[in-house]
Amino acid sequence: MRKQIVAGNWKMNKDYVDSEILVSKLLETHQHSDVDVIIAPPFTNLLAASHTLKSTSIAVAAQNMHFAESGAYTGEISAEMLKSVGVHTVILGHSERRAYFNETDELLAKKVDAALANDMRVIFCFGEELTERKAGKENEVVESQIKNALFHLSETSWSQIVLAYEPVWAIGTGETATPEQAQDMHAFIRKTLENQYSATLADSVSILYGGSVKPANAKEIFSKPDVDGGLIGGAALDAEMFNAIIHSF
Ligand code: 13P
């Protein structure tokens, strides 16, 4: 049975103090559920968050990492460094990284390999732009993003991969994909995995939806059979909203 996951991507929000306040609030109000909960604060708060959340059921993720083990890569952070502060999950391929930092499928494949070589779990993001959806190319785009960055992986490596479909036009816009649009795409992704690997593998991978998920729409989106949870941006910055989303299952 695949896992249900709600992950909060804080992006470049919350300084050290505000981040500590939000982590404490999450912890205070968090009730145990079968849903895997993950938060991804900025790098400057990973150590503090992983200390505070140690021995709790909330996991901490990084929002990015470099593919190299170490060396002359000014401003970058390696998998080893993340693990040294208790972080064993990383978000890779977010559309903001692709758009503003020129991250290509080829680069992302290297980052995925580095994460897996370090036994890290990867939340791999992808999704089409509005012009691509308008042109009816969303399946083609998503298939090539997944194929180029992940289809070199062995079947066993997939136990460390979580997919996050985030249509770019729905991120931070207040415009969510309809539950049917999310379901259609998630079913297509699962079929693509089945064609490349096996039905068993396709059935075991958690596929999250991301893009303007709020307490008001989470329940309906999560009720779809191929939607295994959400990657939450704005609403993850508020403990009450994030908790309400977690309990939307
Ligand atoms: P919003 O929930 O703010 O639309 O952001 C989604 C996202 O990009 C999560 O990674």
Side-chain angles (χ1 to χ4, degrees):
M1 192 52 195
R2 53 183 184 260
K3 283 184 182 144
Q4 293 177 321
I5 300 170
V6 173
N9 175 11
W10 294 10
K11 309 190 180 186
M12 197 172 74
N13 293 295
K14 304 284 176 192
D15 66 12
Y16 184 80
V17 174
D18 289 343
S19 173
E20 284 286 87
I21 293 170
L22 179 51
V23 169
S24 306
K25 273 195 195 151
L26 285 174
L27 199 51
E28 264 166 42
T29 51
H30 183 64
Q31 292 156 6
H32 184 75
S33 75
D34 291 336
V35 180
D36 273 16
V37 178
I38 304 169
I39 58 162
F43 284 129
T44 44
N45 273 86
L46 291 178
L47 174 62
S50 74
H51 269 173
T52 309
L53 297 174
K54 202 174 179 166
S55 322
T56 74
S57 57
I58 304 177
V60 178
Q63 299 173 18
N64 179 32
M65 58 164 242
H66 197 267
F67 60 79
E69 278 175 29
S70 63
Y73 298 100
T74 301
E76 293 292 329
I77 300 281
S78 72
E80 193 65 45
M81 291 169 183
L82 295 176
K83 288 197 302 181
S84 76
V85 294
V87 173
H88 299 270
T89 304
V90 62
I91 297 173
L92 293 175
H94 194 280
S95 63
E96 287 147 20
R97 302 276 337 153
R98 293 176 190 258
Y100 308 140
F101 303 98
N102 305 315
E103 295 204 359
T104 60
D105 292 344
E106 195 185 15
L107 174 81
L108 292 168
K110 286 163 116 180
K111 291 189 175 199
V112 168
D113 288 345
L116 296 180
N118 280 280
D119 283 328
M120 291 183 69
R121 171 171 56 169
V122 174
I123 301 176
F124 186 80
C125 309
F126 53 86
E128 82 285 357
E129 312 233 357
L130 186 56
T131 48
E132 294 165 333
R133 179 161 280 265
K134 282 192 169 154
K137 290 191 169 155
E138 64 273 19
N139 288 6
E140 195 184 312
V141 169
V142 161
E143 184 174 3
S144 84
Q145 287 172 327
I146 295 175
K147 203 183 248 177
N148 295 340
L150 301 175
F151 275 7
H152 64 287
L153 298 179
S154 69
E155 194 149 341
T156 49
S157 298
W158 278 83
S159 60
Q160 297 290 92
I161 306 282
V162 172
L163 297 179
Y165 168 57
E166 298 204 305
V168 179
W169 48 272
I171 296 178
T173 58
E175 189 180 341
T176 333
T178 62
E180 290 71 30
Q181 283 172 322
Q183 168 58 26
D184 286 351
M185 180 56 83
H186 286 218
F188 170 74
I189 295 163
R190 230 178 272 292
K191 194 75 203 157
T192 305
L193 293 178
E194 181 180 335
N195 293 341
Q196 176 70 16
Y197 294 93
S198 65
T200 313
L201 180 134
D203 200 42
S204 70
V205 176
S206 297
I207 309 176
L208 315 184
Y209 168 79
S212 299
V213 177
K214 308 285 177 211
N217 59 26
K219 202 179 177 86
E220 218 190 328
I221 296 171
F222 294 171
S223 71
K224 295 295 173 191
D226 287 296
V227 178
D228 304 309
L231 182 55
I232 320 299
L237 300 173
D238 179 282
E240 250 174 61
M241 284 211 265
F242 192 57
N243 272 322
I245 292 171
I246 295 167
H247 290 97
S248 298
F249 272 105

